[in-house]
């Protein structure tokens, strides 16, 4: 039944019935027990809200989901120096790694972290609408998740 409702929400998206997704997707989200069952509905909901030119609302939905997955983002402004510090720290973590080392990286297995990566990828689809601070935060978080938990489809 959950998969059917989730597929229904996805089909509504594909035919442009975005407002109806706001009814269908929450039914899946409220009934599902695992993040794996909720994720397709979450992603469809984010896309549908953004498709209605409500990108800020779609971002808030995505950030709330990330918070539930243990990947919180501060909405307070960071200084350029703080952002550069994050970027340089991330760069140092991967500097000197060869292509072969990346290819041998462990596979991400934690379902919450895989879900977080998929949400991060979806949010980055709206990069033209995002503040520089959030773009850098999303990208560096993806790199840190990959380095800590391993590679998943969204890592590439």
């Amino acid at each position: 039944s959950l998969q059917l409702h989730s597929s229904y929400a996805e089909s509504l998206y594909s035919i442009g019935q975005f407002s109806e997704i706001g009814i269908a997707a929450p039914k899946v989200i409220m009934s599902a027990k695992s993040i794996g069952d909720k994720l397709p509905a979450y992603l469809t909901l984010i896309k549908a809200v953004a498709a209605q030119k409500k990108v800020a609302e779609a971002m808030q939905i995505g950030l709330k989901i990330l918070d539930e997955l243990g990947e919180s983002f501060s909405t307070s402004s960071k200084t350029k120096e703080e952002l550069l510090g994050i970027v340089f720290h991330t760069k140092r973590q991967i500097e000197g790694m060869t292509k072969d080392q990346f290819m041998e990286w462990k596979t991400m297995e934690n379902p919450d972290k895989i879900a977080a990566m998929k949400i991060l990828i979806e949010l980055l689809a709206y990069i033209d609408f995002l503040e520089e601070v959030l773009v850098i935060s999303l990208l560096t978080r993806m790199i840190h998740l990959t380095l800590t938990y391993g590679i998943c489809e969204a890592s590439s």
Side-chain angles (χ1 to χ4, degrees):
S1 176
L2 282 178
Q3 188 175 7
L4 182 62
H5 278 16
S6 191
S7 294
Y8 174 62
E10 290 174 21
S11 66
L12 288 172
Y13 177 80
S14 67
I15 61 171
Q17 298 293 321
F18 305 127
S19 59
E20 291 183 40
I21 294 169
I23 298 166
K27 287 181 183 179
V28 174
I29 294 164
M30 297 300 288
S31 300
K33 291 183 174 50
S34 74
I35 188 63
D37 291 337
K38 293 178 184 183
L39 189 61
Y42 276 143
L43 291 169
T44 302
L45 182 61
I46 291 169
K47 289 189 272 191
V49 171
Q52 295 175 77
K53 298 182 180 175
K54 299 177 187 174
V55 175
E57 186 179 336
M59 291 300 303
Q60 288 306 310
I61 292 168
L63 293 174
K64 182 178 179 268
I65 297 163
L66 288 168
D67 188 50
E68 291 173 19
L69 293 168
E71 296 300 327
S72 301
F73 282 84
S74 171
T75 53
S76 65
S77 296
K78 291 193 184 319
T79 65
K80 291 225 182 227
E81 291 79 21
E82 290 173 313
L83 286 175
L84 283 173
I86 292 168
V87 170
F88 286 128
H89 174 73
T90 303
K91 181 182 175 192
R92 278 193 304 277
Q93 285 185 296
I94 59 175
E95 210 167 41
M97 289 182 74
T98 65
K99 181 181 174 184
D100 289 336
Q101 287 173 311
F102 279 111
M103 297 306 290
E104 293 171 3
W105 209 263
K106 67 183 176 184
T107 301
M108 190 179 292
E109 296 177 2
N110 183 316
D112 288 350
K113 301 309 175 189
I114 293 169
M117 289 289 283
K118 290 179 179 181
I119 296 293
L120 287 163
I121 285 287
E122 185 59 41
L123 296 181
L124 283 170
Y126 312 108
I127 198 165
D128 291 341
F129 304 98
L130 302 179
E131 295 177 23
E132 179 183 54
V133 172
L134 191 52
V135 171
I136 292 170
S137 296
L138 294 174
L139 289 171
T140 54
R141 180 67 56 90
M142 290 180 72
I143 293 168
H144 286 286
L145 285 171
T146 299
L147 292 173
T148 304
Y149 296 97
I151 292 176
C152 67
E153 185 178 325
S155 297
S156 57

